[in-house]
Amino acid sequence: MPSDPKHLNSEIEIRFTYHPVKEGQVEKYEVIRDQAKILAYTLEELCPPCRETSLALTYLEKVVMFANAGIARRS
């Protein structure tokens, strides 16, 4: 936890504020989703239906969400 309250407050503002879509962001979101979808289909094809595969898909979904949040919050 940062000792500088200004840093902490700015991080809170970034994380919990709506970030309207800016020019060029939608295209980035689409590329990330499309690439993740390719990997998801590959995992489904190569991995047995089991808890580990389910977790892999869940974590991949999280990767997409956090990548998109990075673009929304920091671009």
Side-chain angles (χ1 to χ4, degrees), residues 21 24-41 57 60-69 71:
V21 178
Q25 288 179 329
V26 171
E27 293 81 6
K28 292 177 182 180
Y29 298 147
E30 289 174 354
V31 170
I32 290 168
R33 276 195 312 270
D34 289 346
Q35 293 298 308
K37 191 185 297 183
I38 291 167
L39 179 54
Y41 277 120
L57 292 170
L60 181 58
E61 185 177 12
K62 286 183 178 186
V63 166
V64 171
M65 289 189 302
F66 280 114
N68 287 345
I71 292 167

Side-chain angles (χ1 to χ4, degrees), residues 37-58:
K37 191 185 297 183
I38 291 167
L39 179 54
Y41 277 120
T42 301
L43 294 173
E44 183 180 68
E45 179 183 333
L46 299 178
C47 300
C50 59
R51 178 177 180 272
E52 290 80 5
T53 302
S54 178
L55 286 170
L57 292 170
T58 297

